[in-house]
Structure formats: structure tokens, C-alpha cells
Amino acid sequence: MAQQSIGLTAFGGYIPRLRLQRKAIAQANAWVAPNFLGKGKGERSMANWDEDAVTMAVEAARDLLGPDDDRSHVDALFFGSTTMPFRDRLNAGIISAALTLNETVRAVDVSSTQRAGTSALLQALTAVKAGDAKHALVLAADHRKTRAASAQELDFGDGAAAVSVGTENIIAEYLGGTSLTVDFVDHFRGETEDFDYNWEERWIRDEGYTKIVPRAIKAALDNAGVKADEIKHFILPTTFGTKFVETLAKKSGIAPEAARDTLAANCGETGAAHSLVLLVHTLQKEAKPGDKVLVLHFGGGCDALVFEVTDKLASQAGKRGIVGSLANRQEETNYLKFLTFNGLIEWEKGMRAEQDKKTALTTLYRNEDMIMGLVGGRCTETGVVQFPRSRISVNPNNHTVDTQEPYKFAERKAKILSWSADFLSFSMNPPHHYGMVVFDEGGRIMMDFTDVEQGAVDSGMDVRLVFRIKDFDERRGFRRYFWKAVPVAGANAKSKTGQAAE
């Protein structure tokens, strides 16, 4: 009996639209670190103040899943990250709630290693192969803190990627792979620390990558039954540059030209997500049916996975992915804003910020679908939709009782009815933009706006809804999430700076 094929069935991606110019970082720190002036080229992705690994993963997943409200086919969710916002709370559970997945979904957090993304993917492939899951969703995202005036501040970036694993409509068949576990410590972050402690680069390059990665490549190719010269796309996240990736490829018998761009110039290294970020970018931009792809991720050893692209890849043509995310960019030159958004400086927030932001966990649980999934109500008798859902319909002509069924707003088309740019209320990125959003199919919600610049919002603009951080409860270490509106025209207009996006 022939073994059933398994592999990737879809992809999605998300890179925050803010791009901090490395020149701004280098110039701001030139007085203490003049050696970084030579690295002040290009840009790195920069998460907004209300973004973290969870919100970015949600956006990548929404790109993969599309606007369809029915997501009951997803029966497993694996989330890989080293920067999960909660140490003891199921972060994948937050994502599941935002995506309105069924409560029977198997949700797993994978962390504590830069290989979290590829390890999550390997777990999904194993689960599908064993029959424990039919449609597994794999997400990887990172939003790492870095010390000011460090090389990592220049090298890193924020982002997320998503792939789904199944046995039908495969866009890239999994041929085989391996996972080497080697306690080679190139960096670490202790339990009480906010920042990574990094070891010497030459040691990491020469004793780590150069000796461990080739062993993983050989084992993966042997397991997959693929020869080195058959690899058309060689993916290896690293801050050592594409030339180094080409050298490792050649050392393993793979053509140097198979080495894919590490996106160092216009994104930065997105941590545990970066192997999947590069995989999605490659599938969008360069891969063709029949091509064999080798994906690696180094860290505490090395993961290596071999895929073969199929003609089903064309089904993903409409996805935003990584290519689309890189194209939608807003140049940022304010280094102080970057430090503020990442909590690296203490600043005077004013008396209006002095309030207890304790979250009522009982209320959050009882209204989870409304708060996390933006699920309102639709009257089964009159068809009127509303948010929030209630026992009594808002229809002025027919106040029906207990006739509402769940109605999901997150993927619906909407416009700005009215808005305000408020300098009086506290905002992490003043002015505080908010307003009334009306939906094409009915219903309206008062919402915060995000990813918008002053003067780039107006009534009548289309908006898309995004899952973001609503508030930080700094006393208890809890962060509350909700949905916000992004003015589409404003975002597009601000991204046209003339710089190549890819």
C-alpha cells in the first residue's frame, strides 16, 4: 500500500508595516558605538506598540485562512515563538479564540529555542502523518527585545509566518527531514532576563553553523532520498549574510545560487519565525512546480526539512504573504519611538494614564467570543446584526427576544462613519485615533484605529480589522486584547516611498 503524501497546503505571512531605518539607529548611538555606523544600511521591521508575537501570528493565520468564517476544518494549532507574552497561559489558546476555531482544536505552544518554528512544523507533520490531525495550522512569530546600541538591535526584525499541513491539495510535499539536538550555546536568555546574552560571532559561525548545519543537511537529504544537487532553494536564517549561506550550501554539495535571500536588507532576522518567513517568501517569489526546497533552522542543534513544490502552488496566488507585507511599508526614522514602543525607556505618561487596568477574568471568559473573536449577533427573524450580542434585538421596529445567533464581524467589509484624533486622552502613539465603524452588511462598532498617521484618516474610508493589544495591566503583568480598525487608504498611501519592497 502506497504511503499517503503529506505536506504544506497553504501559507500566509505578516511583517509589520513600520520599517525603522538602520541609519537612524546607528546615528543615534554613534557617540557610544561608532563601530555600527557601517551597518547603518537598509531597514528592519518594527512592531507597533500594540503588536506582539500573538497578534502577528493571528494576522499571518488570517492571511492563510482567508475571509471564510467557517474554520472548523482546523483541528490542530502549533505556535512557535521565543517571545510569547504569557509564560503560564496557553498563548496558542489566545490565537485560537481570535480565529474563532472550535474548542476541540489541539493547541500547543512551542518555545525556548530558535527552532520553535520548525519544531512546530515537524510536530504538525508528525501529527498529520499519524492521523492525529487532518488539518494542522502552524504559526511562528517573534518580537524580541534588544539592548540599545547592540548589534542585535540592527540585525533583528519582527514578523510572523503561517503554513498549514494536510494530505489534500498539497502545494509542497514533505519528502523527509531530520532534527539534530546539540547543546551548543550561541546565546541564551535567563529566566529573569529581558535580553539575550550573545557569545562571540566567530565561534558561533565557525564551530556552530559550519560544523552542525552540514550534518543536518546530509541526514535530511538521506532521509528524503534527495541528492544535494537537486536542491533548488536553500533556506537558512542567519545574521551572517547571504554569502555565508552560499558557502554552507557549496560545502554540502548544493549549488551556491540556490541560497535564498535572508531578507536582511529590508526586514531583519525574525527569530523563531524566520525559517518559515523565508519559506513563504520563496514559495511566493521564486519556487516552481517540481523544485525541491531545503529549509533549515539553527539553534540548540539544527532542524532540516525537504519539500517538493507541486502545481497546486498556483492556488496561493492571491495571498498577501511575506511579499505583500514587505510591499506595504511605512518608513520610520524616529529611534526614540522605537525605544518607547519596546519599553526600553521610562517616559512621563501623564495623569490620564494613571488608572487601574485590572481585567475581570470572569467577564473575559463569559464573553470570550465577543471580545477575542469579535462575534456579535444576528436576529434569525429580522436579519438585523449587532455588536455586542444581547438577548434583545436592536431593531427599532421589532425588539425580538432570544432570537440571535452568532455573527462574526472580523472578516466583514466596513467603513469609517465618524472619527476623532484626540490629544487629551492618553495614547502610546498620539493622537489617539478612534471612531464609529459601520459594516456593509449592517452593524456598527466604536473602535480604536491603529497603523494610521495624523491627517491620513477620513470618513468614508474603508477599514480592515486587526487583532491587537488593547491595554497593558503593568501591575499584574496581564495584557488585554481586542480588535481595532486600520484605514486602508491611509495605510496604502503612506507606504509609497519609492523603495523596493522585495
Side-chain angles (χ1 to χ4, degrees):
M1 181 178 177
Q3 187 174 4
Q4 188 176 33
S5 297
I6 60 172
L8 310 182
T9 59
F11 61 70
Y14 178 73
I15 305 295
R17 65 185 287 264
L18 291 178
R19 307 297 154 76
L20 181 62
Q21 303 304 295
R22 291 194 177 98
K23 183 178 180 181
I25 304 175
Q27 289 180 341
N29 294 303
W31 65 278
V32 67
N35 53 309
F36 288 146
L37 286 172
K39 298 185 68 172
K41 299 177 182 178
E43 59 190 21
R44 57 154 293 173
S45 58
M46 167 184 161
N48 206 337
W49 74 265
D50 57 357
E51 295 185 288
D52 62 13
V54 161
T55 67
M56 290 189 292
V58 168
E59 281 303 297
R62 292 175 70 201
D63 184 38
L64 182 152
L65 293 168
D68 190 359
D69 284 341
D70 184 7
R71 293 162 177 172
S72 58
H73 62 286
V74 178
D75 53 6
L77 169 61
F78 298 89
F79 175 43
S81 176
T82 66
T83 54
M84 296 185 184
F86 290 92
R87 291 182 182 178
D88 190 355
R89 182 188 179 189
L90 185 60
N91 295 270
I94 303 172
I95 296 171
S96 177
L99 298 175
T100 62
L101 302 183
N102 289 347
E103 65 176 13
T104 54
V105 69
R106 174 187 176 190
V108 178
D109 288 343
V110 183
S111 191
S112 301
T113 170
Q114 288 295 296
R115 291 191 285 140
T118 47
S119 294
L121 177 53
L122 283 166
Q123 287 196 38
L125 289 164
T126 300
V128 172
K129 183 177 181 180
D132 295 334
K134 291 184 178 180
H135 302 280
L137 182 58
V138 179
L139 309 176
D142 253 339
H143 179 202
R144 292 177 290 177
K145 274 190 176 182
T146 57
R147 295 186 189 276
S150 67
Q152 290 72 38
E153 188 176 41
L154 292 155
D155 291 335
F156 290 173
D158 305 318
V163 293
S164 56
V165 175
T167 58
E168 298 178 356
N169 299 315
I170 294 172
I171 63 172
E173 182 181 356
Y174 178 60
L175 302 181
T178 195
S179 185
L180 298 183
T181 299
V182 183
D183 190 26
F184 179 88
V185 185
D186 57 340
H187 76 284
F188 65 90
R189 186 168 70 246
E191 181 183 4
T192 61
E193 301 301 314
D194 291 327
F195 308 103
D196 293 349
Y197 184 87
N198 298 276
W199 206 241
E200 198 269 327
E201 287 189 355
R202 186 175 62 176
W203 167 263
I204 298 169
R205 183 186 65 238
D206 296 347
E207 196 67 24
Y209 277 85
T210 303
K211 293 186 177 180
I212 296 174
V213 171
R215 300 206 304 268
I217 293 172
K218 184 179 185 307
L221 293 177
D222 288 345
N223 290 340
V226 173
K227 296 180 180 178
D229 59 7
E230 294 182 75
I231 298 298
K232 296 296 182 184
H233 306 285
F234 181 78
I235 294 171
L236 174 64
T238 177
T239 58
F240 296 129
T242 305
K243 289 292 184 183
F244 176 67
V245 179
E246 292 174 355
T247 300
L248 277 183
K250 185 177 181 180
K251 182 177 180 178
S252 299
I254 298 170
E257 56 268 24
R260 298 282 70 91
D261 181 11
T262 60
L263 302 183
N266 57 346
C267 177
E269 201 260 344
T270 60
H274 210 54
S275 54
L276 299 189
V277 165
L278 297 182
L279 173 59
V280 172
H281 187 260
T282 298
L283 291 174
Q284 283 189 283
K285 192 176 178 185
E286 295 165 301
K288 296 178 176 60
D291 287 356
K292 292 182 173 60
V293 183
L294 175 59
V295 183
L296 300 117
H297 209 126
F298 176 86
C302 187
D303 287 336
L305 303 91
V306 183
F307 296 93
E308 182 173 351
V309 181
T310 76
D311 56 7
K312 298 287 187 181
L313 179 62
S315 65
Q316 303 298 296
K319 298 293 176 64
R320 172 190 61 208
I322 300 302
V323 171
S325 291
L326 291 175
N328 180 32
R329 57 181 289 278
Q330 165 66 43
E331 185 174 301
E332 181 59 70
T333 59
N334 191 332
Y335 176 63
L336 190 60
K337 181 185 285 189
F338 170 77
L339 296 179
T340 303
F341 283 6
N342 285 276
L344 297 175
I345 59 173
E346 290 189 16
W347 59 292
E348 178 54 57
K349 298 179 181 179
M351 288 188 293
R352 290 183 174 86
E354 296 175 0
Q355 52 182 299
D356 191 345
K357 297 182 178 180
K358 182 178 181 179
T359 299
L361 300 180
T362 49
T363 302
L364 174 62
Y365 174 73
R366 288 170 177 158
N367 299 280
E368 183 186 68
D369 64 339
M370 286 193 282
I371 296 172
M372 305 296 283
L374 203 67
V375 179
R378 176 185 177 276
C379 178
T380 55
E381 290 187 13
T382 65
V384 171
V385 297
Q386 65 183 77
F387 188 93
R389 186 171 66 248
S390 64
R391 290 189 62 197
I392 302 174
S393 172
V394 297
N395 187 336
N397 300 317
N398 189 3
H399 292 300
T400 56
V401 180
D402 293 335
T403 59
Q404 292 188 38
E405 62 181 3
Y407 181 88
K408 300 179 182 181
F409 279 93
E411 307 299 337
R412 307 293 178 180
K413 293 182 178 180
K415 291 181 173 62
I416 298 172
L417 177 64
S418 60
W419 61 278
S420 179
D422 186 355
F423 278 98
L424 295 178
S425 61
F426 169 74
S427 172
M428 283 288 293
N429 187 24
H432 177 199
H433 285 90
Y434 58 91
M436 184 65 72
V437 171
V438 294
F439 293 81
D440 291 0
E441 298 175 23
R444 59 179 62 188
I445 308 174
M446 179 70 75
M447 308 188 82
D448 289 335
F449 298 162
T450 190
D451 289 355
V452 60
E453 304 298 321
Q454 188 178 359
V457 60
D458 202 357
S459 297
M461 275 187 174
D462 290 334
V463 295
R464 60 183 179 86
L465 305 187
V466 293
F467 185 72
R468 294 292 176 91
I469 298 168
K470 173 68 174 176
D471 281 314
F472 294 99
D473 179 358
E474 296 177 356
R475 283 186 61 184
R476 303 166 188 86
F478 192 86
R479 59 184 65 187
R480 187 160 69 246
Y481 298 92
F482 192 56
W483 292 79
K484 299 182 181 180
V486 175
V488 175
N492 291 340
K494 289 291 182 177
S495 68
K496 296 176 181 177
T497 60
Q499 178 167 329
E502 301 175 17

